[in-house]
Amino acid sequence: MADCLPFRSTGYFSDLISDYIEEKQNLKPFYNRFPSIDNFKDQIEEKSKSYNSDNRKGLVEVLKNQYGSLSTSDKTQQHIDLLLEDSTFTVTTGHQLNLFTGPLYFLYKIVSTINLAKQLKEKYPDSNFAPVYWMASEDHDFEEINFFNFRQQKIEWKKETEGAVGHLSTSGLEELASSIEKEFGKSDNAEYLKGLFKVAYLEHETLASATQFLANELFGEYGLVVLNADDASLKSMFSKHVINDLLYHTAFRQTEKQADKLADLGYNIQVNPREINLFYMHEGIRERIVKQDDKYLVIDSDLSFSENEILDLVEKYPERFSPNVVMRPLYQEVILPNLAYIGGGGELAYWLELKSLFEAENVTFPMLMLRNSVLIYSEKTSKKLDRLDTPIQDLFLTPQALEAKQTRKNSSIDINFQNQKKTLEDQFKELYELAEKTDKSFYGAVAAQEKKQKNGLDHLEKRLLKAQKRKLKDENDRVLELQRMLFPNESLQERTLNFSEIYIDHGSQLIQDLFDELDPFQFEFLCLELTIYNTKS
C-alpha cells in the first residue's frame, strides 16, 4: 500500500528542486530536457551524435577488468557486453562509498536507476540501456562515510586516513564485524547480513572493492553495472577537458555565470566553482591544485609544476588528476554514453549550475532525474495511525505543527476564533465609516484599537490551544512518538536509517517491494506500507 504527496508539501525539499519538478519556466535555461519518457527520444539522438564511440572499447575493457574477481550475473555481463554497441546507452546514479551502504536512499537511487533502464527498454526496444552505479571512490571526506546507523546506534569505523577513500585499506574492520555480530541478532536475515558484511569488508583489500562487491551482491541479479572511474585509461579520455580547466579555467568561468543567474532568481547556490576544479591524487594524497603566478601548486604539499611540467603529467599520468564536484559530472558524461543522471535534491541543485560548462566543452548535458524518496512504515504502525485518525502525510509536519493539528482535531472545544475575528471586523467596519467623517487621527485610533483586539483574540486562542494540549497530552504523545520513530532526529528516515534495520525484519522482499513500487517518472514522495514488515513499532 502506498500514498504519495508532492515534494514541496513535505517541507524537506528546496524551492529550487520543487520548482524544477514543477517545470517552472524560469529554470528551463538551466537544463537540456525535462525527464519525461517521450523526451528520451531526442536525448538518445543527441547523445548518439556527440558521444565518442571510440570510448566504448576502453570503457568495456575497464569494466571487464573490474569485474574479473566478482561473480557477475548474466544480466550485468550482458549490459557490459552491449556497451560495445552504438545502440547501447547508460542511465547513471552516483553515491559515496558509505560503510555498509550508509543511509537508505542508497537503495532508492539504484532501484530508481534500474527501473528507469527497464522502462526505457520497453519504450525504445531498438536501443539498450545499462543502469550504472558510479562509485565516488575519489572523495576524501572519510567522516561522511565511515559509519551507519542501526537502531539508534552509530556503528563507526575509526581510522586515521588521508587521500581518496576508495584506496583505503579495509584492515581493522574485524572489530566492527564483531560488534555487528552482537547487534544484528541471530535471525536468518541477520545471519545473511553479517555474512555479507564480513565478505565485503574482510575479504576485500580496499573500500572501493568492498563497495563494488556489496552493490553487486545486492543488485547484480537486476543487471546493475558498478563502475570505479578512478582509472588511468578512463582518465586519458578526459585529458583535454583537464587541460581546459588548467589553462583556460573553463569550468570556473561557465559555472560561476550560471550560479550567479540562479542566485539572481533567488535560489541558494549549492557549490561555488574554483579557478581550478581538480585535485592532485598520488601516493596517498588528494589535494587541490592552485595556480600562483606561473606555477601550479598542490595545496599542503611541496609539489610545484611549471605549465609544461603539469601538461606533461596530464599526458603521462592522467590518473593523478581527480575532478572535484564541478568537474566530476563532465567526466562522467565524457566517458559514458549516458542519457540521464538520477540524484538527490542536493546533487541536482549543483547539476543545474553546469549546463553552460557542458555547452562550452561540447558535451551533451544529461537529463536530470530526482531519485525516488520513500518513507517506509509497517502494517502495525499503519493501524496505530488509523486508531489515532492521523494520515501518514501529517507526520511530515513539524512536531509543533503536528501537535497543534492533533489538538484542534481532537478537542471537544472549537479552538478557532475566526468567527469572533469576523464579528470584530464587522463591528470595526462601522467605526471606520464613522472615522472617515472625522479626521485622520481618529481613523488611526480605530485601526490601532482593532489591531489590539485582534492580538488579544490571538493570545486567547493560543492560551486555549495550550490548555487543550495539556488535556490531550497522552493522545498527542502517541502521535509524536510515531513521528519520532519514522523521522529520527526530525529528519527524513531515508537520510538516517540503514537498510539493515529494515532488512532484518523484511528480508530480500524489501528490495523486491522497492522495485515494484518505485517509478522513476513519478515525481512525488512515496509513503510505503510494507504489509509483511514485522517490527516492534
Side-chain angles (χ1 to χ4, degrees):
M1 295 178 63
D3 291 303
C4 294
L5 64 160
F7 282 111
R8 190 186 297 277
S9 68
T10 67
Y12 286 95
F13 291 82
S14 68
D15 287 339
L16 176 62
I17 295 306
S18 297
D19 288 350
Y20 173 68
I21 290 302
E22 294 164 12
E23 298 186 68
K24 292 294 177 66
Q25 194 68 32
N26 64 340
L27 283 176
K28 292 196 173 179
F30 297 91
Y31 59 90
N32 194 6
R33 294 179 182 89
F34 191 77
S36 69
I37 190 75
D38 291 332
N39 282 346
F40 271 91
K41 180 177 182 294
D42 291 336
Q43 190 74 15
I44 290 169
E45 291 178 3
E46 184 178 348
K47 190 68 179 183
S48 296
K49 294 173 183 175
S50 68
Y51 180 66
N52 184 350
S53 60
D54 291 341
N55 291 354
R56 288 183 180 274
K57 185 178 178 182
L59 173 64
V60 169
E61 285 177 358
V62 169
L63 285 168
K64 286 184 174 180
N65 181 56
Q66 292 181 359
Y67 272 86
S69 60
L70 288 176
S71 175
T72 310
S73 72
D74 290 342
K75 279 190 177 180
T76 295
Q77 189 60 57
Q78 182 184 37
H79 282 148
I80 292 172
D81 292 339
L82 284 170
L83 281 168
L84 285 170
E85 300 180 6
D86 289 341
S87 59
T88 300
F89 302 91
T90 63
V91 289
T92 303
T93 193
H95 195 68
Q96 294 172 296
L97 308 189
N98 294 73
L99 186 66
F100 213 44
T101 76
L104 261 174
Y105 65 79
F106 172 83
L107 268 64
Y108 306 157
K109 277 184 166 183
I110 292 178
V111 171
S112 298
T113 305
I114 294 170
N115 277 350
L116 175 60
K118 191 185 304 181
Q119 289 192 34
L120 289 174
K121 181 61 178 175
E122 291 171 1
K123 178 71 173 180
Y124 304 101
D126 292 338
S127 297
N128 298 298
F129 306 92
V132 172
Y133 161 41
W134 177 291
M135 295 197 302
S137 53
E138 296 180 42
D139 283 1
H140 57 254
D141 294 320
F142 182 66
E143 291 75 17
E144 292 184 5
I145 66 160
N146 69 334
F147 69 94
F148 68 93
N149 296 310
F150 182 78
R151 293 178 181 167
Q152 299 180 324
Q153 293 190 57
K154 186 176 184 180
I155 297 178
E156 185 177 9
W157 179 20
K158 296 180 180 178
K159 184 183 182 77
E160 293 293 324
T161 69
E162 61 179 2
V165 295
H167 298 173
L168 291 179
S169 168
T170 52
S171 62
L173 277 167
E174 295 84 1
E175 185 178 343
L176 214 57
S178 298
S179 174
I180 287 169
E181 186 74 36
K182 299 172 187 174
E183 296 293 341
F184 279 14
K186 296 186 179 298
S187 69
D188 289 345
N189 291 334
E191 292 298 330
Y192 167 74
L193 291 176
K194 288 186 287 186
L196 187 63
F197 186 93
K198 287 178 181 177
V199 175
Y201 295 102
L202 305 187
E203 296 183 18
H204 292 83
E205 293 184 358
T206 65
L207 185 57
S209 60
T211 305
Q212 185 191 27
F213 168 83
L214 191 58
N216 184 62
E217 283 294 303
L218 291 173
F219 295 105
E221 66 179 287
Y222 303 97
L224 181 69
V225 176
V226 183
L227 175 64
N228 182 0
D230 180 10
D231 180 272
S233 61
L234 295 179
K235 291 282 182 73
S236 67
M237 302 176 190
F238 190 60
S239 292
K240 73 174 184 179
H241 304 283
V242 168
I243 292 170
N244 285 346
D245 193 61
L246 290 169
L247 298 185
Y248 311 117
H249 313 312
T250 307
F252 174 72
R253 290 186 290 103
Q254 296 296 335
T255 308
E256 187 177 49
K257 286 191 295 185
Q258 292 291 89
D260 288 345
K261 289 176 182 177
L262 284 168
D264 289 342
L265 291 171
Y267 297 116
N268 292 327
I269 300 306
Q270 190 72 15
V271 296
N272 290 298
R274 299 183 182 277
E275 191 173 65
I276 294 176
N277 293 280
L278 298 163
F279 292 90
Y280 188 78
M281 189 169 69
H282 185 50
E283 295 182 339
I285 70 164
R286 183 179 186 253
E287 298 291 348
R288 285 199 301 117
I289 301 171
V290 298
K291 188 175 183 183
Q292 290 184 5
D293 300 323
D294 59 347
K295 290 288 186 180
Y296 291 87
L297 310 180
V298 178
I299 295 293
D300 294 331
S301 79
D302 296 327
L303 296 172
S304 172
F305 310 105
S306 68
E307 182 177 297
N308 287 335
E309 287 171 336
I310 203 163
L311 293 180
D312 188 54
L313 284 173
V314 172
E315 182 181 352
K316 291 180 179 176
Y317 307 105
E319 70 277 11
R320 296 186 187 181
F321 295 85
S322 177
N324 73 356
V325 66
V326 170
M327 288 287 282
R328 189 208 64 79
L330 186 69
Y331 177 38
Q332 171 189 296
E333 298 303 310
V334 166
I335 67 173
L336 292 177
N338 197 49
L339 302 175
Y341 183 77
I342 297 91
E347 291 176 285
L348 264 56
Y350 70 71
W351 273 89
L352 288 168
E353 298 178 37
L354 303 178
K355 183 174 174 245
S356 64
L357 167 62
F358 276 72
E359 291 170 346
E361 297 280 356
N362 294 313
V363 177
T364 296
F365 194 66
M367 297 167 86
L368 304 179
M369 300 190 71
L370 184 64
R371 65 167 172 82
N372 290 111
S373 282
V374 188
L375 173 65
I376 291 175
Y377 60 104
S378 69
E379 191 174 16
K380 190 174 181 180
T381 296
S382 180
K383 289 177 180 177
K384 287 182 179 181
L385 289 169
D386 286 343
R387 286 196 296 271
L388 293 165
D389 191 26
T390 303
I392 189 71
Q393 291 88 344
D394 281 2
L395 299 189
F396 285 83
L397 297 168
T398 64
Q400 297 77 15
L402 176 61
E403 185 180 18
K405 184 172 183 178
Q406 288 293 118
T407 301
R408 292 178 187 277
K409 180 175 65 179
N410 295 319
S411 174
S412 58
I413 302 169
D414 185 10
I415 313 173
N416 189 326
F417 285 7
Q418 285 303 113
N419 289 336
Q420 290 85 344
K421 289 176 184 177
K422 179 68 170 59
T423 300
L424 190 68
E425 288 172 358
D426 290 341
Q427 291 173 342
F428 271 90
K429 186 177 179 181
E430 296 179 11
L431 287 174
Y432 280 121
E433 290 173 356
L434 179 63
E436 287 177 354
K437 299 174 183 178
T438 59
D439 58 34
K440 290 183 179 179
S441 63
F442 184 67
Y443 191 95
V446 171
Q449 189 61 225
E450 181 188 27
K451 184 177 180 182
K452 181 179 179 181
Q453 293 197 30
K454 281 186 174 179
N455 287 342
L457 283 175
D458 286 340
H459 179 69
L460 289 173
E461 187 176 322
K462 289 176 182 176
R463 288 284 300 271
L464 180 58
L465 177 62
K466 188 176 181 180
Q468 289 300 98
K469 282 181 181 178
R470 287 196 297 269
K471 187 175 180 180
L472 298 168
K473 183 177 186 303
D474 289 345
E475 192 168 349
N476 286 346
D477 282 350
R478 288 197 290 274
V479 174
L480 291 169
E481 179 57 32
L482 288 175
Q483 185 188 50
R484 282 191 289 272
M485 180 190 72
L486 293 177
F487 292 79
N489 302 317
E490 297 186 28
S491 180
L492 288 177
Q493 176 196 71
E494 63 183 31
R495 299 177 186 171
T496 303
L497 261 65
N498 179 261
F499 86 102
S500 58
E501 190 164 336
I502 299 176
Y503 194 102
I504 281 176
D505 294 310
H506 198 60
S508 59
Q509 189 62 35
L510 164 66
I511 293 176
Q512 188 55 54
D513 284 348
L514 293 176
F515 276 111
D516 291 343
E517 296 290 346
L518 270 56
D519 178 357
F521 292 104
Q522 185 179 42
F523 299 121
E524 291 184 301
F525 198 104
L526 182 69
C527 299
L528 179 62
E529 176 189 334
L530 298 183
T531 55
I532 61 169
Y533 168 42
N534 299 312
T535 177
K536 296 178 182 178
S537 57

